[in-house]
Amino acid sequence: MRKFLLTLFVILLSFSLPYHGTVLAAKPFQEPIRGIYVTAPTTNKPLFNELLALVNNTDLNAMVIDIKDDHGNLTFVPSKKSPYHPIARPYITNPSSLMNTLKANNIYPIARIVVFKDNVLANQNPDLTFKTTGGLWKNPRGDSFTNPFLQEVWDYNIGVALEAVKLGFKEIQFDYVRFPEKFEKVENELTYDKSPFQGNRVTAVSEFVKYAKEKLTPYNVKVSVDIFGNATVTPEASGIGQNFTNISQNVDVISAMIYPSHWTAIFGIPKPDLQPYQLVEGYAKVENVRLREITNPPISRPWLQDFTATWLGPGNYKVYGKKEVEDQIRALHAQGINQYLIWNAANKYTLNVDYTPY
């Protein structure tokens, strides 16, 4: 692993030198970004052609595509010289062709990189994760997280981002930029290095974002971070280490995940999934206040819900379709927010939605 990290350091250093390739020559995408989530395997299925048609025939203009997935795999096979070649999976069989297709269709490409949730790196190097007396710690879903206090973990993920830069992605979207949920309830049972930043989780996450932005700035790519909506409506989500203001000060785009199904009673709404317009409206009002407190605020581009949350149980959810998706978009627009991303884990999006935010 140390050999890998030394190689990675050399790569990061080479990227920090002036770069004269096509990435720096890329012009910024000027339109408000409105996109959909696309898994890496979907790019090789007939469904992808349907998604291309969806974007081409609506007010959508962007795709968020997994480059480092929820397990920690790189989703395409890079050069054999890349230190990430061993963790690669050929989910995107021809990345150059994919990027050409996106460009030909004027689709803004965003590379999603899952950061600290990482089964692959945790299993390869247990010193970079959390351990129990029985081995690697896993959350209730069976996932391991790497240790956000460690710069080795930071550099590893920034190296993945640089692989996406080489492909031509115009934006790096970091997801799972946090400690595990309810980490504060189990941390005393775990063994891990928390000496950096005196064990302050918020500082660790905030400093990673700042560091990542500094490393990626020379390459003319935007940096965005996905954040829990709860981190916006509270002073900070200290358990997972997310502070909305700290993160927002160091990114180009902040993408709060504000799916109505993911909230308990809030904004005077006892069952938020049943009232998507009111939930998004209530959230957006709070976010606007917090962003106005920042000298150079990032673009707000929240994640919206296009899925049905049956797990909430009868009476607590509704089937999401055209009206529910449009209600969320309209609620954002009413608060002056005209960019958004739509999430459906299976990439099956509701037909005939008017994505124009007014």
Side-chain angles (χ1 to χ4, degrees):
M1 186 64 191
R2 296 294 172 181
K3 180 180 179 181
F4 167 85
L5 291 171
L6 178 60
T7 304
L8 179 57
F9 173 79
V10 172
I11 289 175
L12 286 169
L13 181 62
S14 69
F15 267 101
S16 68
L17 297 174
Y19 183 80
H20 302 291
T22 57
V23 174
L24 280 177
K27 294 181 180 180
F29 201 90
Q30 298 297 332
E31 300 176 33
I33 302 303
R34 298 160 191 148
I36 54 173
Y37 167 64
V38 180
T39 68
T42 292
T43 62
N44 298 307
K45 297 178 180 178
L47 175 59
F48 187 67
N49 290 327
E50 297 177 24
L51 298 179
L52 284 175
L54 174 66
V55 174
N56 284 331
N57 295 320
T58 66
D59 203 45
L60 296 171
N61 58 13
M63 288 184 175
V64 180
I65 300 174
D66 286 333
I67 291 300
K68 178 171 174 251
D69 67 17
D70 289 59
H71 299 288
N73 300 306
L74 189 70
T75 61
F76 70 96
V77 179
S79 162
K80 290 184 178 180
K81 296 180 181 180
S82 168
Y84 298 96
H85 191 273
I87 69 162
R89 299 291 182 271
Y91 300 140
I92 300 173
T93 55
N94 191 330
S96 295
S97 176
L98 172 63
M99 299 307 294
N100 288 336
T101 297
L102 296 176
K103 183 177 181 180
N105 287 273
N106 198 32
I107 295 174
Y108 181 72
I110 303 173
R112 177 177 179 256
I113 294 173
V114 175
V115 181
F116 296 122
K117 186 174 81 165
D118 192 330
N119 295 322
V120 172
L121 183 58
N123 279 285
Q124 286 182 348
N125 194 330
D127 289 339
L128 300 180
T129 185
F130 308 109
K131 291 180 284 187
T132 69
T133 54
L136 295 184
W137 176 84
K138 299 180 183 296
N139 68 9
R141 294 183 178 181
D143 293 312
S144 294
F145 277 64
T146 50
N147 185 353
F149 286 114
L150 302 180
Q151 187 172 328
E152 292 166 288
V153 176
W154 297 5
D155 286 335
Y156 178 88
N157 284 281
I158 292 167
V160 174
L162 295 176
E163 294 283 355
V165 169
K166 287 190 288 186
L167 289 183
F169 279 91
K170 295 183 179 181
E171 182 171 320
I172 303 300
Q173 181 190 91
F174 292 114
D175 197 2
Y176 284 85
V177 185
R178 59 177 178 83
F179 286 76
E181 293 178 72
K182 301 180 180 178
F183 183 76
E184 69 276 14
K185 295 184 178 181
V186 299
E187 63 173 332
N188 291 332
E189 305 168 10
L190 306 177
T191 301
Y192 64 101
D193 182 0
K194 56 183 176 181
S195 58
F197 312 113
Q198 290 74 51
N200 188 306
R201 294 187 293 276
V202 168
T203 301
V205 170
S206 300
E207 287 299 311
F208 163 73
V209 174
K210 181 180 179 182
Y211 181 80
K213 173 63 173 169
E214 291 172 350
K215 291 295 184 182
L216 292 172
T217 292
Y219 305 103
N220 197 31
V221 289
K222 293 188 181 300
V223 174
S224 58
V225 165
D226 295 339
I227 190 171
F228 275 3
N230 184 58
T232 308
V233 301
T234 57
E236 66 181 18
S238 59
I240 60 171
Q242 288 188 339
N243 179 297
F244 178 85
T245 299
N246 290 357
I247 291 174
S248 295
Q249 287 173 333
N250 291 291
V251 293
D252 300 297
V253 179
I254 190 76
S255 290
M257 297 172 284
I258 58 174
Y259 317 121
S261 60
H262 283 43
W263 298 83
T264 54
I266 194 170
F267 309 127
I269 309 169
K271 298 180 179 181
D273 194 59
L274 303 182
Q275 297 181 265
Y277 185 97
Q278 290 79 3
L279 183 281
V280 171
E281 176 186 50
Y283 170 85
K285 287 179 178 179
V286 174
E287 185 187 82
N288 281 339
V289 170
R290 296 202 66 176
L291 288 177
R292 282 196 293 268
E293 297 171 348
I294 299 174
T295 302
N296 294 302
I299 292 169
S300 172
R301 191 191 299 151
W303 279 102
L304 303 180
Q305 174 174 332
D306 189 1
F307 56 85
T308 298
T310 55
W311 62 85
L312 296 176
N316 298 310
Y317 76 91
K318 65 190 305 184
V319 175
Y320 269 53
K322 173 179 168 65
K323 181 180 185 302
E324 289 70 27
V325 175
E326 290 177 355
D327 279 351
Q328 295 172 82
I329 294 170
R330 289 190 303 105
L332 286 180
H333 178 70
Q335 301 304 315
I337 301 172
N338 296 316
Q339 300 200 29
Y340 55 81
L341 302 169
I342 308 291
W343 180 273
N344 180 287
N347 305 161
K348 300 292 183 66
Y349 296 98
T350 300
L351 298 177
N352 302 316
V353 169
D354 183 357
Y355 291 103
T356 307
Y358 47 79

